[in-house]
Amino acid sequence: MSKSFTRLAGVFGAVAAVLAFSACGSQPAGEDADKIVVYSGRSEELVKPLIEQFTTDTGIQVETRYAGSGELAAQLLTEGDKSPADVFLSQDAGALGAVSKAGLFAPINADALAAVPKQYSAADGTWLGVSGRARVIVYNPTLVPDPPDTIDGLLAPEWKGKIGFAPSNASWQAFVTGLRVIRGDDGAEQWLRAFKAQDPQAFENNVAIRDAVDAGQIPLGIANHYYLYELINAKGADAVTARNQFMAPGDPGGLVNVAGVGVLKSAPNPEGAQAFASYLIGETAQKYFAEETAEYPLVAGVATSSEMPPLADLRPPAVDLSQLDDIETTQEMLVETGLLTN
């Protein structure tokens, strides 16, 4: 069991035990072969339409439990082989890595794995990436005509007091975990202390950062790429001032993380679970991620927004995404450096 979720299991076990099930479709008793249970760390608002389409297309009913990816990973670790879940759909690779290290996942169907670039799935084939998101600097070009494209560039004196970040956000913490993998704990702590000395402005989430940058309340911030495109889709490109600065090749700030799926070894319906995993990297689901959420599809041949650089052109840092599971140590480091309150 991974260090980051050993304690989380105790913290979230009682919480997750009382989480309500939200059914995406009813299923008569005695027909479990046509039903799967999905633990979803992705929000109901985001994925319910896609799950409903899966049922329409396959006839397999889905009972879904929604909660945070970390909570659900902890619940799976607590339940072990007695879990009612067939599938874990996670918002991030770190939670998948924790469950995988506990030995709870079965291998994903080989054809599904082959459809996704190797760096976006587990090396041992126990979980499958289904959509990608890049870390970027979102900036206001009227205030910052030439934004930095590296995390070390953010440490220049000119950006003191001008950077927005979301200290409790899972994507920020995944970035810091990736920084620890790339530079080691000492190197990561050194950068974090230098970043703290820049007096960055803390926001609740990426949406708040994006909106503050767009409104000119702050020149730039660190966020995921798709939040800008969500705003453009809602308001129209002419009404949005903010822009994305994608990071320089190999820079730790340009981490590409994934949402992904794992099939439980103890799945009551393993065939249905594998069908669900395969569906998520099929054309219908990949177009959904590209068009509805402005994420990067991971399967070749599915177009992204013309405003976004192709995923193949990003050249993110080389990080084994399964290593992003040690969030507990990351949180401790953020507290020690004054960037996160207990």
Side-chain angles (χ1 to χ4, degrees), residues 5 38-43 46-47 51 64-74 76 87-100 105 120 127-133 170 257-264 276 280 289 295 298 321 324-325:
F5 284 100
V38 174
Y39 282 14
S40 177
R42 310 217 72 184
S43 71
L46 176 63
V47 299
I51 291 175
T64 311
R65 175 178 290 182
Y66 294 100
S69 293
E71 295 175 33
L72 292 173
L76 286 167
V87 172
F88 179 31
L89 176 59
S90 175
Q91 175 72 12
D92 68 271
L96 291 164
V99 178
S100 176
F105 283 149
Y120 299 126
W127 58 263
L128 174 70
V130 300
S131 64
R133 57 189 182 276
N257 204 344
V258 297
V261 62
V263 172
L264 278 301
F276 183 78
L280 293 180
F289 292 130
E295 294 176 276
L298 297 182
L321 296 179
L324 302 182
D325 68 304

Side-chain angles (χ1 to χ4, degrees), residues 119 177-179 181-182 255 316-324:
Q119 66 266 37
T177 307
L179 183 62
V181 172
I182 295 167
L255 178 73
V319 174
D320 179 352
L321 296 179
S322 295
Q323 293 182 278
L324 302 182

